[in-house]
Coordinates of all heavy atoms in Angstrom, one line a residue:
M237 N 194.9 78.5 339.2 CA 195.1 78.8 340.5 C 193.9 79.4 341.2 O 193.3 80.4 340.9 CB 196.2 79.9 340.6 CG 196.7 80.2 342.0 SD 197.5 78.9 342.8 CE 197.2 79.3 344.6
I238 N 193.4 78.6 342.2 CA 192.1 78.9 342.9 C 192.5 79.8 344.2 O 193.4 79.5 344.9 CB 191.4 77.6 343.4 CG1 191.1 76.6 342.3 CG2 190.1 78.0 344.1 CD1 189.9 77.0 341.4
C239 N 191.9 80.9 344.2 CA 192.1 81.8 345.4 C 191.6 81.2 346.7 O 190.5 80.7 346.7 CB 191.4 83.2 345.1 SG 191.5 84.3 346.5
P240 N 192.4 81.2 347.7 CA 192.0 80.6 349.0 C 191.0 81.5 349.7 O 190.2 80.9 350.5 CB 193.2 80.5 349.7 CG 194.2 81.5 349.2 CD 193.8 81.6 347.8
R241 N 190.8 82.7 349.3 CA 189.9 83.6 350.0 C 188.5 83.5 349.4 O 187.5 83.4 350.1 CB 190.4 85.0 350.1 CG 189.7 85.8 351.1 CD 189.8 87.4 350.9 NE 191.0 87.9 351.6 CZ 191.4 89.2 351.4 NH1 190.7 89.9 350.6 NH2 192.5 89.6 352.0
C242 N 188.5 83.8 348.0 CA 187.2 84.0 347.4 C 186.9 82.8 346.4 O 185.8 82.7 345.8 CB 187.1 85.3 346.6 SG 188.3 85.3 345.2
H243 N 187.8 81.8 346.3 CA 187.7 80.6 345.5 C 187.3 80.9 344.0 O 186.7 80.0 343.4 CB 186.6 79.7 346.1 CG 186.9 79.4 347.6 ND1 187.9 78.5 347.9 CD2 186.4 79.9 348.7 CE1 188.0 78.4 349.2 NE2 187.0 79.3 349.7
N244 N 187.8 82.0 343.5 CA 187.7 82.2 342.1 C 188.9 81.8 341.4 O 190.0 81.7 342.0 CB 187.5 83.8 341.8 CG 186.1 84.2 341.9 OD1 185.2 83.7 341.3 ND2 186.0 85.2 342.7
E245 N 188.8 81.4 340.1 CA 190.0 80.8 339.3 C 190.8 82.0 338.8 O 190.2 82.9 338.2 CB 189.5 80.0 338.2 CG 190.5 79.4 337.3 CD 191.4 78.2 338.0 OE1 190.6 77.3 338.6 OE2 192.6 78.2 337.9
N246 N 192.1 82.0 339.1 CA 193.0 83.0 338.6 C 194.0 82.4 337.6 O 194.1 81.2 337.5 CB 193.8 83.7 339.7 CG 193.0 84.6 340.5 OD1 192.7 85.7 340.1 ND2 192.5 84.1 341.7
K247 N 194.6 83.3 336.8 CA 195.6 82.8 335.9 C 196.7 82.1 336.6 O 197.0 82.5 337.8 CB 196.3 84.1 335.1 CG 196.7 83.7 333.8 CD 197.0 85.1 333.0 CE 198.0 84.9 332.0 NZ 199.4 84.9 332.6
Y248 N 197.4 81.0 336.1 CA 198.3 80.2 336.9 C 199.4 80.9 337.5 O 199.9 80.6 338.5 CB 198.8 79.1 336.1 CG 199.7 79.4 334.9 CD1 201.2 79.4 335.2 CD2 199.3 79.9 333.7 CE1 202.0 79.9 334.3 CE2 200.2 80.3 332.7 CZ 201.5 80.3 333.0 OH 202.5 80.7 332.0
D249 N 199.9 82.0 336.8 CA 201.0 82.7 337.4 C 200.7 84.0 338.1 O 201.6 84.9 338.3 CB 202.1 83.0 336.3 CG 201.6 83.8 335.1 OD1 200.4 84.1 335.1 OD2 202.4 84.2 334.3
N250 N 199.4 84.3 338.4 CA 199.1 85.5 339.2 C 199.7 85.5 340.5 O 199.8 84.5 341.2 CB 197.6 85.5 339.3 CG 196.9 86.3 338.2 OD1 197.5 86.6 337.2 ND2 195.6 86.7 338.4
L251 N 200.2 86.6 341.0 CA 200.7 86.8 342.3 C 199.6 87.1 343.3 O 199.7 86.9 344.5 CB 201.9 87.8 342.3 CG 203.1 87.4 341.5 CD1 204.2 88.5 341.6 CD2 203.7 86.0 342.1
T252 N 198.6 88.0 342.9 CA 197.5 88.3 343.6 C 196.3 87.9 342.9 O 196.2 87.8 341.7 CB 197.5 89.8 343.9 OG1 197.5 90.5 342.6 CG2 198.7 90.2 344.8
C253 N 195.2 87.7 343.7 CA 193.9 87.4 343.1 C 193.3 88.6 342.3 O 193.3 89.7 342.8 CB 192.9 87.0 344.3 SG 191.3 86.6 343.7
D254 N 192.7 88.2 341.1 CA 192.1 89.3 340.3 C 190.8 89.8 340.9 O 190.3 90.8 340.5 CB 191.9 88.8 338.9 CG 193.1 88.7 338.0 OD1 194.1 89.4 338.4 OD2 193.2 87.9 337.2
F255 N 190.2 89.0 341.8 CA 188.9 89.3 342.2 C 188.8 89.9 343.6 O 188.1 91.0 343.8 CB 188.0 88.0 342.3 CG 188.0 87.3 341.0 CD1 188.9 86.3 340.6 CD2 187.0 87.6 340.1 CE1 188.8 85.6 339.3 CE2 187.0 86.9 338.7 CZ 188.0 86.0 338.5
C256 N 189.7 89.5 344.5 CA 189.6 90.1 345.8 C 190.9 90.7 346.2 O 191.1 91.2 347.3 CB 189.2 89.1 346.9 SG 190.4 87.7 347.2
M257 N 191.9 90.6 345.4 CA 193.3 91.2 345.5 C 194.1 90.5 346.7 O 195.1 91.0 347.1 CB 193.1 92.7 345.8 CG 192.6 93.5 344.7 SD 193.2 93.2 343.1 CE 194.7 94.1 343.2
A258 N 193.7 89.4 347.2 CA 194.4 88.7 348.2 C 195.7 88.1 347.5 O 195.7 87.9 346.4 CB 193.6 87.4 348.7
T259 N 196.7 88.0 348.3 CA 197.9 87.4 347.8 C 197.8 85.9 347.7 O 197.3 85.3 348.7 CB 199.1 87.7 348.9 OG1 199.2 89.1 349.1 CG2 200.4 87.2 348.3
L260 N 198.2 85.4 346.6 CA 198.1 84.0 346.4 C 199.3 83.2 346.9 O 200.3 83.8 346.8 CB 197.9 83.7 344.9 CG 196.6 84.3 344.2 CD1 196.7 84.1 342.8 CD2 195.3 83.7 344.9
P261 N 199.0 82.2 347.6 CA 200.2 81.4 348.2 C 201.2 80.9 347.1 O 200.8 80.4 346.1 CB 199.6 80.2 348.9 CG 198.2 80.0 348.2 CD 197.8 81.4 347.8
M262 N 202.4 81.0 347.3 CA 203.5 80.6 346.4 C 204.3 79.5 346.9 O 205.3 79.7 347.7 CB 204.4 81.9 346.1 CG 205.4 81.7 345.1 SD 204.9 81.2 343.4 CE 204.4 82.8 342.8
S263 N 203.9 78.3 346.6 CA 204.6 77.1 347.2 C 205.7 76.9 346.2 O 205.8 77.4 345.0 CB 203.7 76.0 347.2 OG 203.2 75.6 345.9
D264 N 206.7 76.0 346.6 CA 207.8 75.7 345.7 C 207.3 74.9 344.5 O 207.8 75.1 343.4 CB 208.7 74.8 346.4 CG 209.8 75.6 347.3 OD1 209.7 76.9 347.2 OD2 210.4 75.0 348.1
K265 N 206.3 74.1 344.7 CA 205.7 73.4 343.6 C 205.1 74.3 342.6 O 205.2 74.1 341.3 CB 204.5 72.4 344.2 CG 204.3 71.2 343.3 CD 203.3 70.4 344.0 CE 202.5 69.6 342.9 NZ 201.1 69.3 343.2
R266 N 204.4 75.3 343.0 CA 203.8 76.2 342.1 C 204.8 77.0 341.4 O 204.7 77.3 340.2 CB 202.8 77.2 343.0 CG 201.8 77.9 342.0 CD 200.9 78.8 342.8 NE 200.5 79.8 341.9 CZ 200.5 81.1 342.1 NH1 200.8 81.5 343.4 NH2 200.0 82.0 341.3
K267 N 205.8 77.4 342.1 CA 207.0 78.1 341.5 C 207.5 77.4 340.4 O 207.8 77.9 339.2 CB 208.1 78.4 342.6 CG 208.3 79.9 342.8 CD 209.5 80.1 343.7 CE 209.1 81.0 344.9 NZ 210.0 81.0 346.0
A268 N 207.7 76.0 340.6 CA 208.3 75.1 339.6 C 207.4 75.1 338.4 O 207.8 75.1 337.2 CB 208.6 73.8 340.2
E269 N 206.1 75.0 338.7 CA 205.0 74.8 337.6 C 205.1 76.1 336.8 O 205.0 76.0 335.6 CB 203.7 74.6 338.3 CG 202.5 74.6 337.3 CD 202.3 73.4 336.5 OE1 203.2 72.5 336.8 OE2 201.5 73.3 335.6
I270 N 205.2 77.3 337.4 CA 205.2 78.5 336.7 C 206.4 78.5 335.8 O 206.4 78.9 334.6 CB 205.2 79.7 337.7 CG1 203.8 79.9 338.3 CG2 205.5 81.0 336.9 CD1 203.7 80.8 339.4
E271 N 207.6 78.2 336.3 CA 208.8 78.1 335.6 C 208.6 77.3 334.3 O 209.0 77.6 333.3 CB 209.9 77.6 336.5 CG 211.3 78.0 336.1 CD 211.8 79.1 336.9 OE1 211.2 80.1 337.2 OE2 212.9 79.1 337.3
R272 N 208.1 76.1 334.5 CA 207.9 75.1 333.5 C 207.1 75.7 332.3 O 207.4 75.5 331.2 CB 207.3 73.9 334.1 CG 207.4 72.6 333.2 CD 206.9 71.4 333.9 NE 205.4 71.5 334.1 CZ 204.5 71.4 333.1 NH1 204.8 71.1 331.9 NH2 203.2 71.6 333.4
R273 N 205.9 76.3 332.8 CA 205.0 76.8 331.8 C 205.6 78.0 331.0 O 205.4 78.2 329.8 CB 203.7 77.3 332.4 CG 203.0 76.2 333.0 CD 201.5 76.3 333.0 NE 200.7 75.5 333.9 CZ 199.4 75.5 334.0 NH1 198.7 76.3 333.4 NH2 198.9 74.8 334.9
H274 N 206.4 78.9 331.7 CA 207.1 79.9 331.1 C 208.0 79.3 330.0 O 208.1 79.9 328.9 CB 207.8 80.8 332.0 CG 206.9 81.8 332.7 ND1 207.3 82.5 333.8 CD2 205.6 82.1 332.6 CE1 206.4 83.3 334.2 NE2 205.3 83.1 333.5
E275 N 208.7 78.4 330.3 CA 209.7 77.7 329.4 C 208.9 77.2 328.2 O 209.4 77.3 327.1 CB 210.4 76.6 330.2 CG 211.5 75.9 329.4 CD 212.7 76.8 329.2 OE1 212.7 77.8 329.8 OE2 213.5 76.3 328.4
E276 N 207.8 76.5 328.5 CA 207.0 76.0 327.3 C 206.5 77.1 326.4 O 206.6 77.0 325.2 CB 205.8 75.3 328.0 CG 206.0 73.8 328.0 CD 204.9 73.1 328.8 OE1 203.7 73.6 328.8 OE2 205.1 72.0 329.4
E277 N 206.0 78.2 327.0 CA 205.5 79.3 326.2 C 206.7 79.8 325.4 O 206.5 80.3 324.2 CB 205.0 80.4 327.2 CG 203.5 80.2 327.5 CD 203.1 81.1 328.6 OE1 203.7 82.2 328.8 OE2 202.0 80.8 329.2
R278 N 207.9 80.0 326.0 CA 209.1 80.5 325.3 C 209.4 79.6 324.1 O 209.7 80.1 323.0 CB 210.3 80.5 326.2 CG 211.3 81.6 325.9 CD 212.4 81.6 326.9 NE 213.0 80.3 327.1 CZ 213.9 79.8 326.3 NH1 214.4 80.4 325.2 NH2 214.4 78.6 326.5
K279 N 209.4 78.3 324.3 CA 209.7 77.4 323.3 C 208.7 77.4 322.1 O 209.1 77.4 320.9 CB 209.7 75.9 323.8 CG 211.1 75.5 324.4 CD 211.1 74.1 324.8 CE 212.3 73.8 325.7 NZ 212.0 72.6 326.5
A280 N 207.4 77.6 322.4 CA 206.3 77.7 321.5 C 206.5 79.0 320.6 O 206.4 78.8 319.4 CB 205.0 77.7 322.2
K281 N 206.8 80.0 321.2 CA 207.1 81.3 320.6 C 208.3 81.1 319.7 O 208.3 81.5 318.5 CB 207.4 82.4 321.6 CG 206.6 83.6 321.4 CD 206.9 84.7 322.4 CE 205.8 84.9 323.3 NZ 206.2 85.9 324.5
M282 N 209.4 80.4 320.1 CA 210.5 80.3 319.3 C 210.3 79.4 318.1 O 210.7 79.7 317.0 CB 211.6 79.5 320.1 CG 213.0 79.7 319.5 SD 214.1 80.4 320.7 CE 214.9 78.9 321.2
K283 N 209.4 78.4 318.3 CA 209.1 77.5 317.2 C 208.3 78.3 316.1 O 208.4 78.0 314.9 CB 208.2 76.3 317.7 CG 208.1 75.2 316.8 CD 207.3 74.0 317.3 CE 207.0 73.0 316.3 NZ 206.2 73.6 315.0
K284 N 207.4 79.1 316.6 CA 206.5 79.9 315.7 C 207.4 80.8 314.8 O 207.2 80.9 313.6 CB 205.5 80.8 316.5 CG 204.2 80.8 315.9 CD 203.3 81.7 316.7 CE 202.0 81.2 317.0 NZ 201.3 82.1 318.0
S285 N 208.4 81.5 315.5 CA 209.2 82.4 314.6 C 210.1 81.5 313.8 O 210.4 82.0 312.7 CB 210.0 83.3 315.6 OG 210.8 82.5 316.5
M286 N 210.5 80.3 314.2 CA 211.4 79.5 313.3 C 210.6 79.1 312.1 O 211.1 79.1 311.0 CB 211.8 78.3 314.1 CG 213.1 78.6 314.9 SD 214.5 79.1 313.9 CE 215.1 77.5 313.3
D287 N 209.3 78.7 312.3 CA 208.4 78.3 311.2 C 208.3 79.5 310.2 O 208.4 79.3 309.0 CB 207.1 77.9 311.7 CG 207.0 76.5 312.4 OD1 208.1 75.8 312.2 OD2 206.1 76.1 313.0
K288 N 208.1 80.7 310.7 CA 208.0 81.9 309.9 C 209.2 82.1 309.1 O 209.2 82.3 307.8 CB 207.8 83.1 310.8 CG 206.5 83.8 310.5 CD 206.4 85.1 311.2 CE 205.2 85.1 312.0 NZ 205.3 86.2 313.1
L289 N 210.5 82.0 309.8 CA 211.7 82.2 309.1 C 211.9 81.2 307.9 O 212.4 81.5 306.8 CB 212.8 82.0 310.1 CG 214.2 82.5 309.7 CD1 214.2 84.0 309.6 CD2 215.3 82.0 310.6
I290 N 211.5 79.8 308.3 CA 211.7 78.8 307.3 C 210.8 79.1 306.1 O 211.3 78.9 304.9 CB 211.4 77.4 307.8 CG1 212.6 77.0 308.8 CG2 211.2 76.3 306.7 CD1 212.3 75.9 309.7
G291 N 209.6 79.6 306.3 CA 208.7 79.9 305.2 C 209.2 81.1 304.4 O 209.2 81.0 303.1
L292 N 209.8 82.0 305.0 CA 210.4 83.2 304.3 C 211.6 82.7 303.5 O 211.7 83.1 302.3 CB 210.8 84.3 305.4 CG 211.2 85.5 304.9 CD1 209.9 86.4 304.5 CD2 212.0 86.4 305.8
L293 N 212.5 81.9 304.1 CA 213.6 81.4 303.4 C 213.2 80.6 302.1 O 213.8 80.8 301.0 CB 214.4 80.5 304.3 CG 215.6 81.2 304.9 CD1 216.0 80.2 306.1 CD2 216.8 81.3 304.0
F294 N 212.2 79.8 302.3 CA 211.7 79.0 301.1 C 211.2 79.9 300.0 O 211.5 79.7 298.9 CB 210.6 78.0 301.6 CG 210.2 77.0 300.6 CD1 211.0 76.0 300.3 CD2 209.0 77.1 299.9 CE1 210.6 75.0 299.4 CE2 208.5 76.2 299.0 CZ 209.5 75.2 298.7
G295 N 210.5 81.0 300.4 CA 210.0 81.9 299.4 C 211.1 82.6 298.7 O 211.0 82.7 297.4
V296 N 212.1 83.0 299.5 CA 213.3 83.6 298.8 C 213.9 82.7 297.8 O 214.3 83.0 296.7 CB 214.2 84.2 299.9 CG1 215.5 84.6 299.2 CG2 213.6 85.3 300.6
L297 N 214.0 81.4 298.3 CA 214.7 80.4 297.4 C 213.9 80.2 296.1 O 214.6 80.1 295.0 CB 214.8 79.0 298.2 CG 216.0 78.9 299.0 CD1 215.9 77.6 299.8 CD2 217.3 78.9 298.2
V298 N 212.6 80.2 296.1 CA 211.8 80.0 295.0 C 212.1 81.2 294.0 O 212.2 81.0 292.9 CB 210.2 79.9 295.4 CG1 209.4 80.0 294.2 CG2 210.1 78.6 296.1
I299 N 212.0 82.4 294.6 CA 212.3 83.6 293.8 C 213.6 83.5 293.1 O 213.7 83.8 291.9 CB 212.1 84.9 294.6 CG1 210.6 85.1 295.1 CG2 212.7 86.1 293.9 CD1 210.4 86.1 296.1
I300 N 214.6 83.1 293.8 CA 216.0 82.9 293.3 C 216.0 82.0 292.1 O 216.5 82.2 291.2 CB 217.0 82.6 294.4 CG1 217.3 83.9 295.3 CG2 218.4 82.2 293.8 CD1 218.0 83.6 296.6
A301 N 215.4 80.9 292.4 CA 215.3 79.8 291.4 C 214.7 80.3 290.1 O 215.1 80.0 289.0 CB 214.6 78.5 291.9
I302 N 213.5 81.1 290.3 CA 212.9 81.6 289.2 C 213.7 82.6 288.4 O 213.8 82.5 287.1 CB 211.4 82.3 289.5 CG1 210.5 81.2 290.0 CG2 210.9 83.2 288.4 CD1 209.3 81.8 290.8
V303 N 214.5 83.4 289.1 CA 215.4 84.5 288.5 C 216.4 83.7 287.7 O 216.7 84.0 286.6 CB 215.9 85.5 289.5 CG1 217.1 86.2 289.0 CG2 214.8 86.3 290.1
I304 N 217.1 82.7 288.3 CA 218.2 81.9 287.7 C 217.6 81.3 286.5 O 218.2 81.3 285.4 CB 218.8 80.9 288.7 CG1 219.6 81.8 289.8 CG2 219.7 79.9 288.0 CD1 220.1 80.9 290.9
W305 N 216.5 80.6 286.6 CA 215.9 80.0 285.5 C 215.7 80.9 284.3 O 216.0 80.7 283.1 CB 214.4 79.4 285.9 CG 213.9 78.6 284.9 CD1 212.9 79.0 283.9 CD2 214.0 77.2 284.7 NE1 212.6 77.9 283.1 CE2 213.2 76.8 283.6 CE3 214.7 76.2 285.4 CZ2 213.0 75.5 283.1 CZ3 214.7 74.8 284.9 CH2 213.8 74.6 283.8
G306 N 215.2 82.2 284.7 CA 215.0 83.2 283.5 C 216.3 83.6 283.0 O 216.3 84.0 281.8
L307 N 217.4 83.7 283.7 CA 218.7 84.2 283.2 C 219.3 83.1 282.3 O 219.9 83.5 281.3 CB 219.6 84.4 284.3 CG 219.3 85.8 285.1 CD1 220.3 85.9 286.3 CD2 219.4 87.0 284.2
F308 N 219.2 81.8 282.6 CA 220.1 80.8 281.9 C 219.2 80.0 280.9 O 219.9 79.3 280.1 CB 220.8 80.0 283.0 CG 221.8 80.7 283.8 CD1 221.6 81.2 285.1 CD2 223.0 80.9 283.2 CE1 222.5 81.8 285.9 CE2 224.0 81.6 284.0 CZ 223.7 82.1 285.3
F309 N 218.0 79.9 281.1 CA 217.3 79.0 280.3 C 216.3 79.6 279.4 O 215.1 79.2 279.2 CB 216.5 77.9 281.1 CG 217.6 77.1 282.0 CD1 217.8 77.5 283.3 CD2 218.2 76.0 281.5 CE1 218.7 76.7 284.1 CE2 219.2 75.4 282.2 CZ 219.4 75.7 283.5
R310 N 216.7 80.7 278.8 CA 215.8 81.4 277.9 C 216.0 80.9 276.5 O 217.1 80.5 276.0 CB 216.1 82.9 277.9 CG 215.2 83.6 278.9 CD 215.3 85.1 278.7 NE 216.6 85.5 279.2 CZ 216.9 86.8 279.6 NH1 216.1 87.7 279.4 NH2 218.2 87.1 279.9
Ligands
ZN575 ZN1 190.3 86.0 345.6

């Protein structure tokens, strides 16, 4: 998001300019863009935690398999 007053680049969802504190214009298009990116970030976060959970589950399964193997196949 380019500030209309000082022409510095701001983060896409800034409400005010980080450099000159001017209020950045909020058009419907920009609002929709912010919404879309927030949604994308949320999905990426969810995917990350799902990957972690699957990794953890797999680890637990391996441990259970080793324990069962030790109990029944001695
Ligand atoms: Zn500015």
Side-chain angles (χ1 to χ4, degrees):
M237 183 65 205
I238 305 282
C239 173
R241 195 201 273 174
C242 67
H243 303 288
N244 278 305
E245 179 75 43
N246 285 284
K247 215 169 146 278
Y248 71 91
D249 60 350
N250 269 15
L251 294 177
T252 55
C253 176
D254 284 337
F255 303 91
C256 70
M257 301 309 284
T259 307
L260 297 172
M262 181 62 83
S263 62
D264 282 351
K265 204 181 154 209
R266 196 177 156 231
K267 243 185 230 168
E269 174 74 4
I270 288 169
E271 202 102 315
R272 199 178 60 76
R273 293 213 200 179
H274 278 172
E275 182 71 10
E276 263 171 27
E277 277 170 17
R278 203 178 58 79
K279 272 184 194 159
K281 231 182 248 171
M282 197 125 101
K283 195 183 170 299
K284 223 188 226 171
S285 55
M286 276 301 275
D287 285 350
K288 237 186 240 168
L289 192 72
I290 287 166
L292 193 75
L293 262 165
F294 189 74
V296 168
L297 274 175
V298 167
I299 289 166
I300 289 170
I302 289 168
V303 168
I304 289 172
W305 186 270
L307 283 176
F308 292 102
F309 299 98
R310 264 187 296 196

